[in-house]
Amino acid sequence: MKLSKRLQQVEQIVETGYDHIWDCCCDHGQLGAALLKTQIAKQAITPAQIHFVDIVPELMDTVASNVKRFLPNTESLWQTHCLDVALLPLDLYQGKHLIIIAGVGGDLMMHFIDAIHQQYPTLELDFILCPVHHQFALRQQLIEFNFGLKQEVLIKENNRFYEILYVTSSQHKGANISPIGDQIWHASSVAQAEIIQQYLTKTLSHYQRIAQGTPEQVEPIIQAYKTVQIN
Ligand SMILES: C[S@@+](CC[C@H](N)C(=O)[O-])C[C@H]1O[C@@H](n2cnc3c(N)ncnc32)[C@H](O)[C@@H]1O
């Protein structure tokens, strides 16, 4: 159950203090299993319950049998749910929730967040989001919903770039979310500065290509990315 660099980064930024962690669209369940292992290793007094969620029944059966096999005697710490992430039954579980959604398109992610937000408008929820594409639109939605930013990270894996957004539905508990990102443009090393520059170049050329067809829609986005200052 080896974790990709992207999911390792997601796992590393998870804060403590959650009662329920939802590994949504979990596929083979690597992330949830790694989070479970960490809980066991830390011998947390009140460990978070790990919820593996995917819409494909066979995947959920395999996850359940693998976790039972590789992490025996942990049944009280996890469960599987074969369901649509838009229908998470958060109200059945008391306490603080973290919802992780990674590895699906930003448009599908926006649909999930919209549905969860509509169903639980007053519940304070944290999300870790790692979309494939549509980062700008996703950020716009989070801003519209008054979410607050806890942390954001940019990584490169297999020649692809991923933004990881750790956000909370409670705006006063986080910083303002920028439509183009803020922390992701700050480099902590020469190598990261190079990744950031590559990402900016790639993002700008992506929108400049689209601008050849529908300039009025993307021109403001291009102008926004042109203001980025890497430091
Ligand atoms: C590419 S995998 C992502 C795996 C892992 N989260 C990652 O980041 O590598 C996408 C998964 O999303 C699941 N999925 C797609 N639509 C879904 C939905 N509406 N509800 C729950 N799972 C869904 C698919 O079955 C698939 O296993």
Side-chain angles (χ1 to χ4, degrees):
M1 290 197 193
K2 193 170 176 335
L3 273 192
S4 63
K5 180 179 166 190
R6 178 176 54 85
L7 292 182
Q8 265 178 37
Q9 183 67 60
V10 170
E11 201 222 342
Q12 277 166 20
I13 64 174
V14 172
E15 294 172 356
T16 53
Y18 293 107
D19 299 295
H20 299 280
I21 302 180
W22 299 81
D23 178 12
C24 299
C25 299
C26 71
D27 200 2
H28 299 294
Q30 290 102 327
L31 177 61
L35 288 163
L36 185 57
K37 262 193 201 161
T38 307
Q39 305 262 351
I40 298 164
K42 282 186 184 159
Q43 297 183 316
I45 298 165
T46 49
Q49 184 85 5
I50 306 295
H51 299 264
F52 295 92
V53 184
D54 202 285
I55 204 161
V56 178
E58 296 76 25
L59 284 174
M60 289 292 74
D61 291 346
T62 310
V63 167
S65 59
N66 281 342
V67 180
K68 272 186 203 148
R69 185 163 155 225
F70 293 111
L71 297 167
N73 308 317
T74 60
E75 278 87 347
S76 63
L77 298 177
W78 59 273
Q79 51 197 287
T80 57
H81 306 260
C82 182
L83 51 79
D84 186 341
V85 172
L87 303 172
L88 288 189
L90 303 179
D91 50 347
L92 300 183
Y93 302 90
Q94 293 294 312
K96 193 163 165 48
H97 296 266
L98 170 65
I99 299 166
I100 305 177
I101 315 172
V104 295
D107 42 0
L108 182 59
M109 210 170 269
M110 287 166 69
H111 162 67
F112 293 151
I113 295 167
D114 188 44
I116 295 168
H117 188 62
Q118 276 193 36
Q119 199 180 346
Y120 305 104
T122 56
L123 207 56
E124 198 179 301
L125 301 170
D126 289 353
F127 292 82
I128 298 182
L129 307 169
C130 182
V132 179
H133 308 307
H134 305 292
Q135 291 85 352
F136 188 89
L138 173 65
R139 284 171 174 277
Q140 295 278 21
Q141 182 199 46
L142 300 175
I143 294 167
E144 197 182 304
F145 287 174
N146 287 323
F147 278 28
L149 180 73
K150 289 164 88 71
Q151 199 181 338
E152 59 182 21
V153 181
L154 174 71
I155 67 145
K156 184 180 179 188
E157 180 182 60
N158 297 334
N159 240 8
R160 292 199 176 140
F161 299 90
Y162 297 94
E163 293 185 22
I164 300 171
L165 299 172
Y166 195 170
V167 296
T168 168
S169 65
S170 166
Q171 190 185 27
H172 66 272
K173 293 222 171 135
N176 288 340
I177 297 174
S178 157
I180 53 168
D182 182 0
Q183 298 166 12
I184 58 168
W185 307 114
H186 298 214
S188 53
S189 65
V190 175
Q192 184 65 12
E194 212 169 286
I195 289 172
I196 291 172
Q197 184 59 65
Q198 289 168 0
Y199 183 53
L200 181 58
T201 306
K202 190 171 175 183
T203 305
L204 272 169
S205 38
H206 164 73
Y207 285 111
Q208 277 157 349
R209 261 197 315 278
I210 299 177
Q212 289 167 7
T214 50
E216 59 292 339
Q217 276 176 24
V218 287
E219 202 47 50
I221 303 178
I222 293 172
Q223 291 314 319
Y225 278 108
K226 279 188 173 167
T227 66
V228 166
Q229 291 192 335
I230 298 173
N231 54 38

